[in-house]
Amino acid sequence: MAGQHFSRSARTRTFRLSSVFAIIAAAGIAAAGSINVQARDLTAAVNSNFSTLDTWDAIDNLSRAVSSSIYEGLYRFDTNLTPQPQLAESYTVSDDGLVYTFKLRPNVKYQDGSDFTAETVKMNFDRGMNPASKLTRRTFFSFVDKVEAVDPLTVRFTLKQPTAGFIARLSNGTASMVCPSLLKKAAAAGDAAAAKKVTAYEACGTGPYTLKHFEPTEVLEVVKNPNYRVAGLPKFDSLRWVPVAENSTRAMMLRTGEAQFIWPVPAEQVKALEADGKLSIQKTPSVVTRYISMNETKKPFNDVRVRKAISLAINRNALIKVAYNGLAVPSTGYLPPQIEGAVNYGPFPYDPKAARELLKEAGFPEGFHATLWSAYNDGKTLKTLQFLQQQLAQVGIHVETRALEAGQRSLIYSAQTPADSQHQLYLIGWTNSAAEPDWGLRPLLDSRSAPPVLNNDSYYKNPKVDELFDKAAAEPNPQKRVALYKELQDTVNADSPWAPLVFEMMTAGENNDDGGRSKAAQKLCRPPRRKLRLLSGGMAGISSSPLKVN
């Protein structure tokens, strides 16, 4: 079977390009006609620090997104999340669905001057999937058996089992092609930790921008690659990504023009910023899921009655008003409704009385004390933590809160065994960057995905669920696959390893009074016959986040 690219369902077309990816596209990664844009610099203020420049090791979508100004992959998502060729030109699939053969784009150079070839594709995947590398996303392609260089411009992937989402996985920004020289430098650094440090702070790819300066808590600055393969691109001299966790500061940077873009817009300031004629604010439904993960290896969270009580104690509609200024909807399940196979359980109920009864049954008539950590420390999250602390206290659960910095998330995901885990309750989020049910659920709920492998930070374990994951992933019939995912979600819902909270809306802002930069950027990334708002929200919400990856 030939496959230039594959189509996606109409439901998926409600998605939009993430704000961060859109900025990159506008800056010249996506060619969209000849626009006379004077060379200039762009500054984007974002709400979280960066974790790494290595897309194979990023646990947050933001880091992976900004790194795509330097790196490219075989495929990429377009604005409708349809995979499109990037460093590949086309692919074919064997009749049994196990062998994918890609034709690569010729005359592509890495930023170190070396040639992009099938052998370097193999080198990148061999390194990325190697368990010894201890890269956080090494299992993203666990269904791949081997990668072979057939000739300089042909690479063959053999899968362990048919996997319908393979091209989508290639498109989400994880499988970036890193310069061979940087890979060799990392390999020579010593152990896995030393190797990871090299690729975390240094970057070399095939993309339109090269790394100038990187401080994870301060700035990522990239400059134009003068040798980029596409004539006339990139359109701008440099991009500066500035982490600004404080909401009012980020908003002020947009007002004054210090930043041409901000992401996300502070929920409490949306109305005020919308009233400013020189600013444009976009609000878009997303596939960002926010929830409380409950570590089942820590008592009393090993008791399903306690877990259900925590969910019942939370008024989600009030949470949306207090922390999100209405820019979210109550969760109705474990997958956002846009994802194929999502099961709608209706809004999760708020019933403090029932919560207290369950706690009494579980042996905690007076409640108990616990810790509630968060993966983020932005203003909205701090409001959420305070709200949850108050809600849980009403049923006798007294929590001490802690908002983790980006570099502190290793406390969660570096735990080698469940006994090493330190957290109890964990406020987190997930963005399904592959826009398919397996990646929306398996990294979070498969027992084989517990840290340090992936993101099952509840340490949830149900053999039936693990079996259903495997059956669904290998099922070629779409209807049967959806039925398997429904059974899986029903089982998870009965076990309640999470307290699902909200599906978030994405917001982003741009300053139109910036000498034409925003208008030029909008034109650069506008698809045919359809105006794309440059900063429309979407897949790369940051919980992961950052949002946990996606």
Side-chain angles (χ1 to χ4, degrees):
M1 294 181 287
Q4 298 294 328
H5 51 267
F6 61 66
S7 62
R8 305 183 70 83
S9 69
R11 299 174 74 188
T12 306
R13 296 191 181 279
T14 63
F15 295 138
R16 290 292 182 272
L17 190 65
S18 82
S19 309
V20 179
F21 281 112
I23 295 171
I24 297 169
I29 290 178
S34 56
I35 305 297
N36 182 19
V37 181
Q38 295 180 355
R40 46 175 60 90
D41 307 320
L42 265 71
T43 297
V46 295
N47 73 337
S48 180
N49 298 338
F50 311 113
S51 62
T52 179
L53 292 175
D54 190 344
T55 62
W56 288 90
D57 201 38
I59 65 169
D60 60 294
N61 289 320
L62 176 62
S63 295
R64 203 165 67 250
V66 298
S67 294
S68 67
S69 55
I70 301 169
Y71 288 118
E72 297 174 310
L74 298 183
Y75 273 71
R76 63 176 176 83
F77 283 126
D78 66 12
T79 57
N80 289 318
L81 290 182
T82 300
Q84 300 290 346
Q86 190 170 45
L87 293 177
E89 288 189 327
S90 63
Y91 70 90
T92 57
V93 187
S94 62
D95 290 339
D96 61 7
L98 292 176
V99 180
Y100 285 69
T101 303
F102 294 85
K103 290 296 183 181
L104 304 180
R105 196 176 296 279
N107 304 316
V108 175
K109 293 283 188 180
Y110 286 103
Q111 292 164 3
D112 64 1
S114 62
D115 292 329
F116 168 70
T117 66
E119 191 58 45
T120 66
V121 174
K122 172 178 169 56
M123 184 185 303
N124 272 277
F125 274 88
D126 285 351
R127 172 251 184 183
M129 299 187 302
N130 184 357
S133 71
K134 297 187 178 179
L135 297 170
T136 58
R137 294 181 69 78
R138 63 189 178 275
T139 62
F140 193 59
F141 294 98
S142 60
F143 52 85
V144 174
D145 183 40
K146 59 181 177 180
V147 182
E148 301 169 284
V150 179
D151 61 46
L153 294 177
T154 307
V155 63
R156 182 167 59 224
F157 289 74
T158 301
L159 311 188
K160 298 174 184 176
Q161 66 271 336
T163 304
F166 179 37
I167 304 301
R169 297 282 184 103
L170 289 176
S171 304
N172 88 326
T174 293
S176 295
M177 295 294 105
V178 182
C179 294
S181 60
L182 184 56
L183 293 180
K184 292 175 182 176
K185 180 177 180 179
D191 60 13
K196 286 171 52 150
K197 187 173 182 179
V198 171
T199 54
Y201 288 90
E202 300 181 40
C204 179
T206 63
Y209 292 91
T210 63
L211 178 64
K212 179 180 179 181
H213 181 62
F214 178 54
E215 290 290 342
T217 62
E218 297 178 8
V219 68
L220 167 62
E221 186 171 3
V222 296
V223 296
K224 176 187 287 190
N225 175 7
N227 301 313
Y228 189 55
R229 68 177 184 277
V230 182
L233 296 181
K235 294 293 183 180
F236 298 95
D237 281 346
S238 72
L239 304 177
R240 291 182 71 250
W241 308 93
V242 185
V244 182
E246 213 288 313
N247 281 343
S248 60
T249 303
R250 198 165 63 253
M252 184 58 66
M253 290 176 70
L254 183 67
R255 284 186 181 277
T256 62
E258 183 180 352
Q260 290 75 55
F261 306 93
I262 66 169
W263 184 84
V265 176
E268 68 276 9
Q269 299 197 40
V270 167
K271 289 184 179 180
L273 294 176
E274 285 179 326
D276 190 325
K278 70 177 184 291
L279 307 180
S280 295
I281 308 300
Q282 285 76 40
K283 298 175 288 188
T284 310
S286 78
V287 291
V288 175
T289 301
R290 304 277 183 173
Y291 59 96
I292 299 173
S293 172
M294 295 174 263
N295 187 341
E296 295 189 16
T297 70
K298 308 297 183 185
K299 293 180 179 181
F301 307 106
N302 59 331
D303 191 321
V304 67
R305 294 169 296 185
V306 171
R307 300 196 298 270
K308 288 181 179 292
I310 288 173
S311 182
L312 288 166
I314 300 167
N315 186 332
R316 291 157 177 83
N317 287 317
L319 170 62
I320 290 168
K321 291 178 182 178
V322 169
Y324 291 86
N325 275 48
L327 296 174
V329 296
S331 292
T332 55
Y334 297 83
L335 285 172
Q338 302 98 320
I339 302 295
E340 185 178 11
V343 178
N344 186 340
Y345 297 102
F348 288 90
Y350 171 55
D351 192 337
K353 181 179 179 180
R356 286 189 287 267
E357 287 298 320
L358 282 173
L359 290 174
K360 184 177 179 180
E361 289 179 20
F364 299 96
E366 304 301 323
F368 57 87
H369 289 76
T371 58
L372 170 61
W373 292 3
S374 169
Y376 336 106
N377 64 348
D378 60 287
K380 177 176 60 183
T381 299
L382 295 178
K383 287 183 179 180
T384 301
L385 283 174
Q386 184 179 20
F387 178 85
L388 293 173
Q389 186 179 48
Q390 294 170 351
Q391 291 271 283
L392 293 173
Q394 292 178 8
V395 299
I397 302 174
H398 303 281
V399 296
E400 179 182 344
T401 64
R402 179 182 181 184
L404 302 181
E405 299 282 350
Q408 294 176 317
R409 294 186 197 112
S410 61
L411 291 171
I412 306 291
Y413 302 110
S414 63
Q416 297 300 303
T417 68
D420 295 331
S421 64
Q422 301 178 43
H423 66 288
Q424 295 179 332
L425 301 175
Y426 189 42
L427 174 63
I428 188 61
W430 183 259
T431 299
N432 184 355
S433 60
E436 48 94 15
D438 189 74
W439 193 244
L441 296 170
R442 187 191 291 265
L444 312 176
L445 294 165
D446 190 315
S447 69
R448 296 160 292 187
S449 297
V453 177
L454 275 171
N455 303 96
N456 180 358
D457 38 53
S458 65
Y459 292 92
Y460 173 63
K461 184 175 183 179
N462 186 323
K464 178 182 178 181
V465 169
D466 292 353
E467 182 181 0
L468 286 167
F469 272 125
D470 293 342
K471 286 183 177 179
E475 176 54 61
N477 182 286
Q479 290 75 28
K480 292 181 180 179
R481 188 164 60 246
V482 166
L484 288 168
Y485 280 120
K486 181 182 185 307
E487 183 180 359
L488 186 155
Q489 289 168 81
D490 288 345
T491 305
V492 169
N493 192 46
D495 292 339
S496 299
W498 304 347
L501 298 176
V502 302
F503 297 137
E504 193 172 351
M505 295 187 72
M506 288 292 98
T507 59
E510 62 174 300
N511 188 319
N512 300 315
D513 187 25
D514 62 357
R517 277 172 284 194
S518 294
K519 290 181 180 179
Q522 283 183 321
K523 291 179 181 179
L524 281 167
C525 66
R526 183 182 299 145
R529 296 178 296 171
R530 189 176 190 178
K531 181 178 179 180
L532 169 67
R533 289 186 178 273
L534 173 65
L535 294 176
S536 56
M539 287 299 293
I542 307 193
S543 111
S544 117
S545 317
L547 278 178
K548 286 192 303 192
V549 250
N550 334 137

